[in-house]
Amino acid sequence: MCVETYSLHVARYYLFFNLKYDIIFSLMQWVVLACAGLVLATHPSSYGHQLQPAYGHHPPPSYCDPKARPACAATSNITYCLEDEQYPEYEIKGAISADNVFAKKYHDIADQSADDLIDMITKDQEEAFDDSFYTGASTGDSPYDTTHWSGPEGFICPSDVAYAMPKRAQNVDGNWRVIVNDVHYYTQTARLETCLYPDISCRGLAPCYHSHCTQKYIYHRLLSFDPCESYKGLFIDIYKLPSACSCLYPGHGGRPQASPDDL
């Protein structure tokens, strides 16, 4: 009888102890979860901020005008940007990852220079050309003195040459697009040559020829991205970019004609 009574008391003790332990453990779990929820609510994850796109710092505009000049070209009349502080790198990376035929669209020859693109001119020669002496006309007492056609080696029409990787450009329809460039290891290189003094007489030709330097362009096909309609992904678009600065001789029956000011 004493043994049975003792066993009953022991069983009741263990039952009470286990019940009490379960209650305490449940309360501790509730406190931990409540604290964790409070911390997450007041301190958002920094990892989430890192995944925000480049435009994530600014609310997207309610209306996106593809013909509006971007910030990189807001203070000039150029139709392309070599630098772009608002370049959407995050979106471009995402578009590349989502494009199953990206490898078929992409192509570039990044290492370009006069060695490959200009006959009888080397890369070092082209880089050494100095057009600072150019005036567009004689600076002496006579319009025919040597100041207009003297000077160091160079082209007959002074120009600025850049083997560049444009970040944005205006396509042939007048819409601004983002160009896939310098993302991961992908680049798209174009030789851009721009007249320094368009419509000024050519170096080395007398005023009576009425020559002038004129800008030439070429159409480039470049892999592009539309920030106004990002759902389109990556596509090929066409851009008119400066390619050369040439001397135009208008001609007058093959003979130079003098103007009244030259007589």
Side-chain angles (χ1 to χ4, degrees):
M1 182 67 180
C2 292
V3 174
E4 292 178 357
T5 303
Y6 174 78
S7 299
L8 181 60
H9 282 293
V10 170
R12 290 177 178 175
Y13 172 79
Y14 277 109
L15 179 62
F16 175 77
F17 178 81
N18 289 336
L19 181 60
K20 182 178 180 182
Y21 176 80
D22 288 341
I23 294 174
I24 294 174
F25 182 74
S26 298
L27 288 174
M28 290 177 63
Q29 282 186 318
W30 184 86
V31 171
V32 170
L33 291 175
C35 292
L38 181 61
V39 170
L40 291 175
T42 56
H43 296 82
S45 171
S46 59
Y47 178 75
H49 286 287
Q50 293 173 357
L51 292 180
Q52 292 297 320
Y55 288 151
H57 296 290
H58 306 282
S62 57
Y63 172 71
C64 185
D65 183 5
K67 295 187 181 299
R69 297 185 70 82
C72 62
T75 59
S76 67
N77 60 355
I78 60 173
T79 59
Y80 59 91
C81 296
L82 301 183
E83 300 294 336
D84 184 6
E85 293 184 356
Q86 296 182 353
Y87 189 79
E89 182 176 354
Y90 178 81
E91 286 90 338
I92 298 296
K93 288 181 177 179
I96 292 174
S97 300
D99 196 328
N100 295 326
V101 293
F102 174 79
K104 295 182 179 180
K105 298 177 183 178
Y106 172 78
H107 181 71
D108 186 37
I109 300 177
D111 187 14
Q112 300 184 25
S113 72
D115 291 340
D116 305 309
L117 300 178
I118 305 178
D119 290 342
M120 298 182 290
I121 296 292
T122 66
K123 176 178 182 291
D124 293 337
Q125 281 180 290
E126 184 180 43
E127 292 177 350
F129 287 166
D130 180 11
D131 297 317
S132 60
F133 71 93
Y134 181 81
T135 61
S138 299
T139 57
D141 295 333
S142 169
Y144 299 98
D145 64 26
T146 61
T147 58
H148 183 49
W149 49 81
S150 62
E153 178 185 34
F155 294 119
I156 195 170
C157 280
S159 63
D160 176 69
V161 177
Y163 294 87
M165 301 173 186
K167 294 294 187 70
R168 286 185 197 253
Q170 190 177 40
N171 69 8
V172 293
D173 295 322
N175 298 320
W176 283 88
R177 304 291 193 225
V178 174
I179 310 299
V180 177
N181 246 325
D182 201 22
V183 177
H184 293 311
Y185 49 84
Y186 299 113
T187 59
Q188 297 185 92
T189 309
R191 183 185 185 276
L192 308 179
E193 181 175 352
T194 308
C195 287
L196 290 178
Y197 308 101
D199 299 327
I200 299 297
S201 61
C202 307
R203 170 189 174 194
L205 292 182
C208 57
Y209 285 93
H210 302 290
S211 66
H212 66 270
C213 295
T214 185
Q215 181 70 59
K216 288 184 176 181
Y217 298 87
I218 192 171
Y219 290 118
H220 279 272
R221 291 166 51 86
L222 297 172
L223 191 57
S224 309
F225 178 81
D226 186 356
C228 290
E229 296 180 319
S230 58
Y231 65 89
K232 291 181 177 179
L234 302 177
F235 54 90
I236 303 296
D237 213 337
I238 302 175
Y239 306 87
K240 187 177 80 171
L241 298 175
S243 63
C245 185
S246 297
C247 178
L248 176 64
Y249 167 56
H252 299 280
R255 301 178 59 187
Q257 301 290 317
S259 67
D261 295 335
D262 299 332
L263 300 176

